[in-house]
Amino acid sequence: MLYPKNSVDKLGFTEVKELIKAHCLSEMGQQMVDKIQVMSNYDQIYKFLNQANEFKNILVNDAALPIHHFFDIKSLANKARIEGVFLSEEEFYQVQASLQTVFAVIAYFSEREGLYPNLEALFEHLPIEKAILKKIDQVIDAKGKIRPNASRELLEITSGIAKAEQEARKKIDQIFKAASGNGWTADGSLTVRDGRLCIPLLAENKRKLKGFIHDESASGQTVYMEPEEVFTLNNRVRDLEFERRREIVKILTALTNELRPYTPLLLSYHSLLTKLDFVRAKALFAIDVEAEMPQVVNEAKLKLFNARHPLLFLNFKTEQKTVVPLNVHIDEGTRIIVVSGPNAGGKSVCMKTVGLLQMMVQAGLLIPAAEASVVGVFKQLFVDIGDDQSIESDLSTYSAHLSKMKTFVEDANGKTLVLIDEFGTGTDPQFGGPIAEAVLESLNHKKVKGMVTTHYSNLKIFASNTEGIENASMLFNNVEMKPLYQLEIGKPGSSYAFEIAQKIGLPQNVLNLAKNKVSEGQKKVDTLLVDLEREKREIFETKQKLDKQQRRVNELQAENEKLKSYLEENRKVLIREAKDEAKNIILNANKLVENTISEIKSSNADKETTRNLRENLNIELKKNTVKAEPVKPNPVADEELKPGDWVKLTDSETTGQVIELIKDNVVIAIGDLRTVAKKKRVIKVSRSSVPKEIRKSFNSHTGDFASFSPEIDVRGMRTEDALHAIEKLFDRALMMGFNNLKIIHGKGDGILRKMIRQYLKKYDQVDRLEDEHADRGGDGITYAYLK
């Protein structure tokens, strides 16, 4: 139950429905959007939310649903029910196209059985009667026209018309040629008058031909005559046309009679198409406002995380601004939240956000809030926003507010959500405050849930001392005198009346006079609130900085521990391997020395033999001698290096060819890779010193470079396939040094374009994204410019 009835307008729900209607493809879908209502049945709400969420997943992550035609086949089915009535060619075409869409949709979901259970339930147990489509296809072609061979009689009549028209044309051409040869015709060619082909004759020659004059020129010098022989043939064509029309009516009547038994099934198909259009529109709106499906519970409570007002979100989106998200919870522990703070600080928007999102969820719509949000079901929603004074009912603003408070107090219960803006205003604060406090106490006693906004200090004090009621404030930067639009639960907020008055330039003497009229106690309370808010903000900012620093320290510590463990493990392995290698060297050396001594003895110290043995010892010594570090060559001077030169990296044996010189950097091609190195890290080498294999490889890759095109067409692809193809093109473009890509994705619903742009934005190498010129494709083509 909604009270008052205009709550949907007050909270912006009517505007939301209009935005959803704009996404509908059919009038039937729009009519269904008009019927959207706030529900209180948990199962219905959960089902509608899941349908919208599943359709959103299809639009974002799956191939496009084959929805092409939406016609009002309900009215056509009702027309076909009447005996003696027949559907026209156009009407049968609409039935034909709608049936093709229905069967394509059912086939789409059959291929994905079990993936979208709530959408599959829309056509569960719906029979697939393709005999209807087959019968229509035999009579109506793909363009919605009756087939020439729809019946044997129609085919004969059509052939007769074609033959008679051919004879008539041939005859009039002969007569026209003869008349022209005799100089009887006026300038020009054959022309049509009254639907008949005529010869333009000079008026003085009209007696020289027999026939029927259909018209004459404005000057009277030319008459348009249909020759007698042709007149007879054309009459024959007209008679055949009448026969053809009668035969078509006969065929369409027979086809309508065959269709009549299927009208209940056509109505079921109509219902399916209408629901699909409706759910599709809801899903598209959800994508527009970046909505998600929250956790829905069958309890009277809510917990919103990163919630945003959808209308404000769309408005800010066009202005390229960001909405400050809202975090709030209302449950049995915190039933009513009393929001205070300065004017224009966002109190009303905060409350309207809560009310509108609650309304949307209970109407089966996804909401712009985090998936972790929890939204319950309220049986009643009572709203008091704005000025509802009535001249007819003789109600003032305050009387209108009191009238609503009466209803709230009498009818609200534990399953009611109450939203009251500027609680207690409209009368003398000395009396309005206590009345508002009494109403608030009564609502709290009845376990009502809700949110109220106020400037009254007595309500702030009452909230701080009453269980179930919680103070909250909209944060305000009292240094820059700017609202922060952030809701903070747990403490009341100052109205900043004097500070705001001072900022807008109210004279200081007036401000001083006003301050003197405020009681000392009230001054202290307001000053204390301002100081508390400032100190709390400073503490919060300091805590954030400390948390960030602590996280960084923890990361570095973990990284150091990991590195230390890695180095320790590798040090032990290296020492063990070095010991084993040294042991083997010593053993081999001992064996070699022993063998050498033995051979010297056996040769009686022969000089030649001794010299050979000494050389063997020197060879083995060189094998186990540590080589000295090579001296690094001098860096290449600017004038020594140019594109096309072959170079080698000084810290490796890698060889490549210079592509480009950029200040102190050199762009080098190494096979199909491109790398950038400092000039001091490369040394120029001769072409002959480069292996032939490397030179051949480079030549082949140069050919690849020449044939590479930085353009791709992903229209018709699934999102995953399109992104994969773009990723491959992006990698090659980076390797080959291209500075832009052209991606043709088409317009459609804009889903593929959005996903491609989100994907490209995550790469640091992408500088910016732009649409093609409107005359050459507009937002159907994206240019990605690389850094």
Side-chain angles (χ1 to χ4, degrees):
M1 172 187 172
L2 291 178
Y3 177 82
K5 294 297 182 185
N6 65 352
S7 299
V8 291
D9 299 322
K10 296 279 188 181
L11 291 174
F13 189 65
T14 304
E15 292 180 60
V16 168
K17 287 168 66 173
E18 289 300 316
L19 290 170
I20 295 173
K21 280 175 68 175
H23 287 296
C24 289
L25 296 173
S26 67
E27 187 178 342
M28 304 91 72
Q30 293 177 348
Q31 291 170 357
M32 204 163 180
V33 173
D34 286 331
K35 295 176 184 177
I36 292 179
Q37 292 183 344
V38 177
M39 303 171 287
S40 57
N41 183 296
Y42 171 79
D43 293 331
Q44 271 190 318
I45 293 169
Y46 190 70
K47 179 181 74 174
F48 290 155
L49 284 171
N50 273 299
Q51 286 176 353
N53 195 45
E54 287 178 1
F55 213 117
K56 180 192 162 196
N57 287 336
I58 288 175
L59 292 173
V60 174
N61 301 316
D62 210 336
L65 195 65
I67 298 178
H68 305 298
H69 302 286
F70 277 94
F71 296 108
D72 186 7
I73 56 176
K74 180 180 180 180
S75 60
L76 301 180
N78 289 331
K79 179 180 177 181
R81 278 179 168 177
I82 304 170
E83 291 286 343
V85 173
F86 67 90
L87 301 182
S88 67
E89 292 174 70
E90 174 62 24
E91 289 170 334
F92 269 116
Y93 170 71
Q94 292 180 7
V95 174
Q96 180 189 45
S98 298
L99 290 178
Q100 288 171 344
T101 298
V102 168
F103 298 147
V105 166
I106 293 175
Y108 179 93
F109 284 110
S110 297
E111 293 172 2
R112 296 159 175 79
E113 188 175 359
L115 278 179
Y116 308 109
N118 291 279
L119 289 175
E120 289 174 18
L122 292 176
F123 52 85
E124 193 175 15
H125 309 306
L126 186 66
I128 302 174
E129 190 55 73
K130 292 193 176 181
I132 314 173
L133 189 59
K134 189 176 180 181
K135 292 178 186 296
I136 297 173
D137 285 344
Q138 290 173 347
V139 175
I140 305 297
D141 64 18
K143 295 181 180 179
K145 300 298 179 183
I146 197 158
R147 295 183 185 277
N149 61 347
S151 72
R152 185 170 56 81
E153 292 79 4
L154 181 63
L155 184 60
E156 290 176 357
I157 293 169
T158 304
S159 299
I161 291 172
K163 186 177 180 181
E165 285 178 341
Q166 189 177 5
E167 289 179 10
R169 179 69 194 209
K170 185 177 179 181
K171 191 68 178 176
I172 199 169
D173 283 342
Q174 290 174 351
I175 297 171
F176 178 65
K177 187 176 180 181
S180 297
N182 293 326
W184 298 344
T185 59
D187 292 337
S189 57
L190 294 172
T191 185
V192 175
R193 289 291 187 273
D194 295 333
R196 312 290 282 253
L197 200 59
C198 300
I199 296 174
L201 289 174
L202 294 172
E204 63 266 22
N205 299 322
K206 64 183 179 181
R207 304 287 182 191
K208 296 179 180 179
L209 276 179
K210 290 183 179 181
F212 181 79
I213 296 175
H214 287 277
D215 197 6
E216 65 178 20
S217 65
S219 63
Q221 293 180 358
T222 304
V223 296
Y224 300 96
M225 176 183 286
E226 183 181 10
E228 184 178 46
E229 301 94 319
V230 179
F231 186 76
T232 305
L233 290 171
N234 281 337
N235 283 343
R236 173 61 181 158
V237 171
R238 188 183 61 179
D239 292 341
L240 288 172
E241 287 285 356
F242 287 141
E243 284 186 39
R244 182 176 184 276
R245 210 165 294 151
R246 286 192 293 271
E247 180 61 22
I248 288 174
V249 170
K250 179 181 173 183
I251 293 168
L252 293 177
T253 302
L255 185 59
T256 305
N257 291 338
E258 290 187 76
L259 185 68
R260 191 167 290 118
Y262 298 105
T263 50
L265 187 56
L266 288 178
L267 293 174
S268 298
Y269 290 155
H270 169 86
S271 176
L272 171 62
L273 290 177
T274 302
K275 289 174 183 175
L276 281 174
D277 190 20
F278 171 63
V279 180
R280 174 183 174 276
K282 292 199 297 182
L284 285 170
F285 175 73
I287 292 172
D288 287 345
V289 298
E290 297 181 10
E292 302 288 349
M293 179 173 170
Q295 300 175 35
V296 187
V297 295
N298 198 10
E299 302 175 46
K301 67 176 186 179
L302 64 90
K303 185 181 290 186
L304 297 175
F305 298 106
N306 293 331
R308 302 172 302 281
H309 194 290
L311 302 178
L312 188 63
F313 175 83
L314 290 175
N315 186 41
F316 275 28
K317 195 175 182 181
T318 58
E319 298 174 7
Q320 295 185 337
K321 295 195 291 187
T322 306
V323 177
V324 177
L326 170 71
N327 296 307
V328 63
H329 71 275
I330 297 174
D331 51 27
E332 285 301 322
T334 305
R335 289 188 290 274
I336 300 176
I337 297 176
V338 178
V339 185
S340 53
N343 286 319
K347 299 190 300 296
S348 297
V349 172
C350 169
M351 187 185 65
K352 287 180 179 180
T353 301
V354 171
L356 179 56
L357 297 193
Q358 184 63 45
M359 229 180 229
M360 287 173 66
V361 169
Q362 291 195 214
L365 303 177
L366 306 181
I367 58 172
E371 288 181 279
S373 300
V374 179
V375 181
V377 178
F378 292 90
K379 299 295 182 184
Q380 299 178 120
L381 184 58
F382 292 166
V383 178
D384 181 17
I385 297 175
D387 183 0
D388 283 336
Q389 61 178 330
S390 171
I391 295 174
E392 294 81 2
S393 304
D394 194 26
L395 288 176
S396 67
T397 301
Y398 188 62
S399 299
H401 284 309
L402 284 181
S403 177
K404 289 180 183 176
M405 292 307 107
K406 175 178 176 292
T407 303
F408 290 6
V409 171
E410 290 177 351
D411 298 339
N413 54 45
K415 294 186 177 180
T416 303
L417 181 67
V418 172
L419 303 172
I420 306 173
D421 195 24
E422 299 295 347
F423 197 20
T425 57
T427 189
D428 188 340
Q430 187 176 353
F431 304 106
I435 292 175
E437 185 177 327
V439 170
L440 189 59
E441 184 175 1
S442 176
L443 293 174
N444 185 47
H445 181 70
K446 298 182 79 171
K447 310 283 187 194
V448 173
K449 315 292 191 311
M451 179 180 283
V452 300
T453 68
T454 187
H455 288 285
Y456 284 179
S457 297
N458 68 305
L459 294 181
K460 302 175 190 177
I461 296 169
F462 177 72
S464 64
N465 296 325
T466 306
E467 186 180 351
I469 304 179
E470 188 72 64
N471 269 310
S473 63
M474 300 305 298
L475 295 182
F476 192 82
N477 187 330
N478 54 6
V479 177
E480 299 179 9
M481 299 304 297
K482 289 182 180 179
L484 301 176
Y485 304 110
Q486 294 178 2
L487 180 69
E488 184 177 34
I489 307 292
K491 75 174 187 63
S494 169
S495 296
Y496 289 95
F498 290 113
E499 289 83 358
I500 294 173
Q502 185 175 4
K503 186 187 178 186
I504 65 173
L506 201 65
Q508 190 61 43
N509 61 326
V510 177
L511 282 173
N512 293 335
L513 189 61
K515 288 178 180 178
N516 291 333
K517 293 179 180 294
V518 178
S519 66
E520 287 299 321
Q522 184 59 43
K523 282 183 185 176
K524 289 180 181 178
V525 169
D526 203 56
T527 303
L528 182 61
L529 287 174
V530 172
D531 292 341
L532 281 173
E533 190 167 325
R534 183 179 63 253
E535 290 173 8
K536 188 163 187 177
R537 188 176 67 252
E538 289 174 356
I539 292 170
F540 177 73
E541 290 174 354
T542 304
K543 184 177 181 297
Q544 280 189 320
K545 289 180 182 177
L546 289 173
D547 288 344
K548 186 177 180 180
Q549 291 174 358
Q550 186 61 48
R551 284 196 300 271
R552 181 57 181 160
V553 168
N554 292 341
E555 288 173 3
L556 289 173
Q557 187 175 358
E559 190 177 337
N560 286 336
E561 289 294 330
K562 187 177 179 181
L563 187 59
K564 182 181 176 183
S565 174
Y566 175 78
L567 291 173
E568 184 64 27
E569 183 179 346
N570 277 272
R571 187 177 68 84
K572 291 177 180 178
V573 172
L574 289 172
I575 290 173
R576 185 171 61 250
E577 290 177 351
K579 286 180 177 179
D580 291 341
E581 188 175 352
K583 184 179 178 181
N584 289 332
I585 290 172
I586 292 168
L587 289 174
N588 292 334
N590 287 337
K591 289 180 182 178
L592 182 62
V593 171
E594 288 175 2
N595 291 336
T596 302
I597 293 170
S598 175
E599 289 183 20
I600 289 172
K601 286 180 178 179
S602 63
S603 64
N604 295 319
D606 181 65
K607 288 183 180 182
E608 186 65 28
T609 304
T610 302
R611 187 171 62 254
N612 291 336
L613 291 173
R614 186 179 292 112
E615 286 177 0
N616 289 338
L617 285 173
N618 289 331
I619 291 170
E620 291 299 322
L621 180 63
K622 287 178 181 178
K623 286 182 182 178
N624 294 292
T625 301
V626 178
K627 294 181 180 179
E629 287 290 331
V631 179
K632 292 187 178 179
N634 294 325
V636 180
D638 291 351
E639 62 275 8
E640 294 178 357
L641 206 58
K642 61 184 183 299
D645 287 345
W646 290 89
V647 293
K648 182 182 290 186
L649 295 178
T650 57
D651 51 0
S652 71
E653 293 298 313
T654 305
T655 303
Q657 192 171 31
V658 176
I659 295 178
E660 186 180 1
L661 300 173
I662 306 172
K663 294 183 180 179
D664 293 329
N665 298 319
V666 184
V667 181
I668 306 170
I670 303 171
D672 58 353
L673 298 177
R674 302 293 181 272
T675 187
V676 179
K678 294 290 184 182
K679 288 182 180 178
K680 62 184 179 182
R681 287 186 55 227
V682 301
I683 179 172
K684 186 175 178 180
V685 296
S686 64
R687 179 181 177 85
S688 59
S689 66
V690 180
K692 290 183 179 179
E693 296 79 12
I694 295 178
R695 295 203 301 270
K696 288 181 180 179
S697 172
F698 184 82
N699 290 335
S700 66
H701 290 302
T702 304
D704 291 343
F705 184 92
S707 64
F708 175 72
S709 172
E711 178 178 329
I712 188 169
D713 188 344
V714 297
R715 288 175 294 182
M717 290 188 185
R718 293 180 57 180
T719 302
E720 291 179 1
D721 297 335
L723 293 181
H724 180 67
I726 291 169
E727 183 181 24
K728 290 171 64 179
L729 183 76
F730 183 76
D731 289 343
R732 292 198 66 195
L734 284 177
M735 288 191 295
M736 295 186 176
F738 279 80
N739 58 4
N740 67 73
L741 298 178
K742 180 180 179 182
I743 302 166
I744 304 170
H745 44 66
K747 295 182 179 179
D749 291 325
I751 306 302
L752 185 58
R753 172 180 178 269
K754 180 179 178 182
M755 297 301 296
I756 288 171
R757 292 198 169 198
Q758 286 179 349
Y759 173 79
L760 289 172
K761 283 178 182 176
K762 71 180 184 179
Y763 287 102
D764 294 334
Q765 294 89 341
V766 176
D767 183 29
R768 68 186 189 279
L769 302 171
E770 291 181 359
D771 290 341
E772 174 62 278
H773 189 278
D775 295 339
R776 297 189 294 274
D779 59 0
I781 298 173
T782 292
Y783 275 98
Y785 292 91
L786 310 181
K787 296 178 180 177

